[in-house]
Amino acid sequence: MSLSWTIGEPIKDEKAPSGPIEERWDTRRFQAKLVNPANKRKLTVIVVGTGLAGGSAAATLGELGYKVKSFCYQDSPRRAHSIAAQGGINAAKNYRGDGDSVHRLFYDTVKGGDFRARESNVYRLAQVSVNIIDQAVAQGVPFAREYGGLLDTRSFGGAQVSRTFYARGQTGQQLLLGAYQALERQIAAGTVEMHTRHEMLELVISDGRARGVVVRDLVTGEVETHLADAVVLATGGYGNVFFLSTNAKGCNTTAIWRAHQRGAMFANPCYTQIHPTCIPVSGEYQSKLTLMSESLRNDGRVWVPQRTGDDRTPADIPEDERDYYLERIYPAFGNLVPRDIASRAAKNVCDEGRGVGPGGLGVYLDFADAIARLGREAVEKKYGNLFEMYERITGENPYETPMRIYPAVHYTMGGLWVDYDLQSTIPGLFVIGEANFSDHGANRLGASALMQGLADGYFVLPTTLGDYLAGAGGFGEVDATEVAQAEAAVQEKIDRLLAVNGTRTADSYHRELGRLMWDYCGMERTDESLRKALERIPELREEFWNNVKVPGDGEGLNQALERAGRVADFFDLAELMCLDALHRTESCGGHFRAESQDADGEALRDDEHFAYVAAWEWGPEGPILHKEQLEYEYVKMTQRSYK
């Protein structure tokens, strides 16, 4: 890939209804064609991924009567990365009576995304959020409750109301178990066919439609093709392109990247969320980072010493020599500013030489005031498992000494482009959850990932997928030539990786790529740094393909082969991410171009030139940029302020 790209025709979401925004989802649901129950039994849907989006979608589609084939590379759907989510899930229930509403959640989400998300999608998400809580409670999800028995909520970044429902620090786990038991019910009923330890390596397209997937059995090494009438990708985000991230080690981009190469446009790949509340890097040996839930910022106060180079213990630094910098800079939101703002603020004070811990790459998250105000027992009830996890990892007791935190790669707002129906630019290929780009703009508010995944899987996809299946007019036989070509492409890549027999592991290349991406396309990007990255990535990729060492063979379990294939795709994705960041010369949300900031160092948008979704098409001569203009009728585009 060169530093150039071509501009293609504009792209438009043709599925979003017009009319009052409050009525658009109802309008679309009524307009959607229906599949009668007898015909549903004749239709097969493939769902790749079993996290909150994929698990809830497969369970719901099975309940509706479709034949569903579900795939995951883990040994159980319970192992999906959604289980690691901690802090909570947003919903506009207004149980606190503090002024929340569907419209306020909609507004907070659009503003939190720095006015780079679609109004129609975000409003639908806010509407559906209230149904998700009812669904989860009916499944037995043990949300925290107040003394009187009502569901409890807490605050999260980017909002001045308390709308986040939670189950201590295990919200993702409990919600995933709810979706998992619904999925297992359908597996037992025979409507869902479960394929664990299978990784999708290619998409089958016949007559211009997505009709199946080629997968590799990770235990036997066998390459298999599975066909269907539609394919749903729910494979999560691509944050592991940075090597060190809060993602599970298995998270990758292969499924959506393969779809991109087959014709699905990739939208806003440069939008990466840096989470401000992670345990700092402690050494070169680390292979991943650990998230400390944003919910901790409800009661924890973030601070650093006022003077540079202050290496005293936190207990020895008196109150008047501490800088509670978020409370100072953003008095209206304080410690609950959105993640991108909190992350950059932490980086700034560390760059000034006021960071704490090894290398000065850390800030304090202090619970002393909360413990004094509420008592240790109350704090333990809210955050006990998180405190225990922190102590096990660091050896420090956060009840007695402040936590040390630093920003780390967490979530990716970019993903495959989808329309209002969650369908990609390949007919019959639907993309849900973090794998698509649709709902968060340039920054995701905390506790909204679980909301989007379950909204897509339980409520949106079952309606819009039915419309596609009813309107397709029947599906013919899948072209055998297309299947053979897809299978050959998979086998060719496997053989190529095994044949190199070089001297460096795939992990070593991945670590080098990740460091390059963090340094040049991380929290802060510049024209110079991005050009350096785009010069070095092709060189490193060529070294990889000439010198990677993949021991063993393809006949059976070979985790080195799995990792090598994923790293190869990360090289290609990294290049597109840097190109997208290079072309977007504004700053917005998680995409911060150092050349585009205001006098206070905040992100400075350029709405005249960049108020669009960047949808990239894979082209044989290089990437092609298609722009989807963003239009705002209900929210005024203003410079974001949390002061």
Side-chain angles (χ1 to χ4, degrees), residues 168-409:
R168 294 186 78 189
Q170 305 169 351
T171 314
Q173 178 181 1
Q174 299 302 329
L175 288 169
L176 183 62
L177 290 174
Y180 169 71
Q181 66 189 14
L183 177 60
E184 286 296 313
R185 180 173 178 268
Q186 296 307 313
I187 293 171
T191 60
V192 176
E193 183 181 287
M194 189 70 232
H195 297 267
T196 60
R197 303 301 296 271
H198 283 70
E199 182 171 24
M200 175 187 158
L201 297 178
E202 189 56 90
L203 180 69
V204 176
I205 297 178
S206 180
D207 194 28
R209 300 177 185 272
R211 293 298 306 274
V213 294
V214 180
V215 297
R216 181 174 180 268
D217 185 321
L218 299 180
V219 177
T220 68
E222 183 180 356
V223 174
E224 309 167 358
T225 298
H226 294 264
L227 303 178
D229 298 296
V231 176
V232 179
L233 298 186
T235 52
Y238 48 87
N240 272 350
V241 68
F242 291 88
F243 187 75
L244 285 179
S245 81
T246 66
N247 287 214
K249 286 300 292 177
C251 295
N252 63 83
T253 189
T254 292
I256 58 173
W257 192 254
R258 203 65 67 245
H260 173 56
Q261 291 179 316
R262 300 284 281 167
M265 290 188 192
F266 206 120
N268 300 334
C270 77
Y271 287 168
T272 306
Q273 179 161 86
I274 312 295
H275 197 294
T277 319
C278 299
I279 297 178
V281 176
S282 58
E284 285 296 319
Y285 59 86
Q286 273 187 272
S287 61
K288 78 175 301 295
L289 297 173
T290 303
L291 173 70
M292 288 282 98
S293 169
E294 181 175 307
S295 63
L296 294 170
R297 290 198 279 149
N298 270 285
D299 290 304
R301 299 180 70 193
V302 179
W303 65 274
V304 292
Q306 285 190 356
R307 63 181 176 86
T308 61
D310 191 338
D311 58 1
R312 290 177 291 175
T313 66
D316 292 333
I317 301 177
E319 191 74 14
D320 61 358
E321 295 182 34
R322 300 178 178 187
D323 181 12
Y324 294 91
Y325 59 90
L326 290 178
E327 298 172 35
R328 172 175 56 82
I329 302 171
Y330 307 101
F333 281 74
N335 295 299
L336 289 174
V337 292
R339 291 173 175 177
D340 60 315
I341 291 175
S343 293
R344 285 196 295 274
K347 178 182 184 297
N348 290 341
V349 295
C350 290
D351 289 348
E352 292 169 4
R354 296 194 287 145
V356 301
L361 293 177
V363 300
Y364 288 128
L365 182 61
D366 195 338
F367 288 85
D369 285 1
I371 292 171
R373 184 179 74 254
L374 304 171
R376 173 167 170 164
E377 184 179 351
V379 172
E380 197 167 341
K381 283 183 179 179
K382 280 185 175 182
Y383 311 114
N385 64 307
L386 297 171
F387 278 43
E388 181 184 350
M389 181 168 67
Y390 180 87
E391 184 172 9
R392 287 187 178 185
I393 291 171
T394 66
E396 300 173 0
N397 184 344
Y399 293 105
E400 299 172 359
T401 188
M403 290 182 178
R404 286 179 297 106
I405 57 170
Y406 192 71
V409 173

